[in-house]
Amino acid sequence: MTQVPPPGGDPPQGGDPLPSEPPIELRLRRALGHRSIVLVGLMGAGKSTVGRRLATRLGLMFKDADNEIETAAKLTIPDIFAIYGEPSFRDGEERVIARLMREGPLVLATGGGAFMRETTRARIAEGGVSIWLKAELDVLMRRVRKRGGRPLLQTEDPEETLRRLMAVRHPVYAAADVEVISRDVAHDRVVQDVMEALDLYLNRPGQAGPMQPGIAAQ
C-alpha cells in the first residue's frame, strides 16, 4: 500500500512516489483534442477579454468573430448594420464562424446573437465546446457604457433593450455545454473559473462522456 507523505514532506522510505497530476492547461489540451472553445453570451459578458487570456493559458490561437467579420467586410459592424441591415449581418456572421470553426482548435469569441442561429449552434457543437459567460444586468450595463458602437443598444432606453435581449437569449444560451458566471473580479479569476469548469466538464472521473449542459463555476 502506498503511503501518503505529510504536506510538504518527502515520500516515505521504500514507498512508491505519488503520481503528480498534470497541470490543468495540459489536461484541457489533451481532453479538447481538435475541438475549439467557443465563448457565447451577451455583449459586455467579457467574451473577448476572457477568450484572449484563456487562449494564452492554453497555447491556442484566439479569434474574435466580430473582428473577423469587420475584416472580411472592410466595414465596421455599426456600418454593416446601417448599410445592409441585421439579417445580412447575421448571414455573414454565420459564414465567418463556419470558416473559423474549420481553422481550429482555437478559442473563439462570438457576437451576442451568433448562438441564436440553429445552424451555428450545430456547427459549434460538432467541432467545439461552448461556454456561456453569464453576467447580471447591472454588470453588463456598466461594461457596455464604457464602449460605444453597440448597434442593438442605439435605443431610447438601452437598459430595457438589454433586459429584453436577456429574456430572449438566455434560454438559448442555456444550451451551451458549460455555464460560467462573469463577475466583476479580475479577468484572470474569470479565466480560472472557465478552466475549472471546462476541466470538470471534460475530465470528470468515472464518466465516459461530457456532463450535461449547465455546469457553473462560480
Side-chain angles (χ1 to χ4, degrees):
M1 181 177 67
T2 302
Q3 292 178 289
V4 179
D10 295 323
Q13 289 293 329
D16 298 327
L18 291 174
S20 58
E21 187 178 31
I24 190 170
E25 292 88 350
L26 181 57
R27 293 199 305 272
L28 291 178
R29 284 298 302 268
R30 286 174 174 171
L32 282 167
H34 296 292
R35 288 177 292 177
S36 293
I37 298 170
V38 183
L39 300 172
V40 305
L42 284 167
M43 61 190 83
K47 301 184 295 291
S48 296
T49 303
V50 169
R52 190 173 288 107
R53 293 175 185 233
L54 177 63
T56 298
R57 289 280 303 270
L58 297 177
L60 293 172
M61 289 190 302
F62 170 75
K63 296 287 186 178
D64 184 301
D66 284 351
N67 291 345
E68 295 292 317
I69 292 165
E70 290 183 332
T71 299
K74 297 182 174 58
L75 290 169
T76 67
I77 287 176
D79 285 343
I80 297 172
F81 268 74
I83 296 170
Y84 299 106
E86 184 175 359
S88 180
F89 169 79
R90 297 300 176 196
D91 290 340
E93 180 180 54
E94 181 179 342
R95 291 192 297 272
V96 166
I97 290 175
R99 170 176 60 81
L100 293 172
M101 291 299 296
R102 292 193 296 270
E103 296 176 3
L106 50 79
V107 176
L108 174 61
T110 63
F115 204 63
M116 301 300 292
R117 281 211 170 187
E118 184 177 356
T119 50
T120 296
R121 292 198 301 275
R123 188 165 282 114
I124 291 171
E126 180 181 356
V129 178
S130 53
I131 300 174
W132 175 20
L133 286 184
K134 182 181 181 181
E136 299 296 332
L137 178 63
D138 59 332
V139 173
L140 294 174
M141 285 305 303
R142 282 197 299 272
R143 293 173 179 175
V144 298
R145 286 191 180 107
K146 297 177 183 177
R147 179 183 172 189
R150 311 278 189 176
L152 294 182
L153 293 185
Q154 304 307 307
T155 63
E156 293 183 1
D157 190 345
E159 184 170 333
E160 178 58 30
T161 301
L162 190 52
R163 186 178 286 108
R164 288 199 301 268
L165 284 174
M166 293 174 75
V168 171
R169 292 181 177 180
H170 276 197
V172 179
Y173 294 154
D177 298 310
V178 178
E179 175 188 321
V180 176
I181 302 301
S182 179
R183 304 171 286 154
D184 265 345
V185 295
H187 296 308
D188 287 336
R189 177 62 255 179
V190 180
V191 172
Q192 188 66 31
D193 288 346
V194 169
M195 293 178 68
E196 291 172 3
L198 267 175
D199 196 27
L200 182 62
Y201 175 79
L202 295 169
N203 295 314
R204 61 196 175 120
Q207 300 291 338
M211 297 182 77
Q212 295 301 311
I215 303 171
Q218 301 183 29

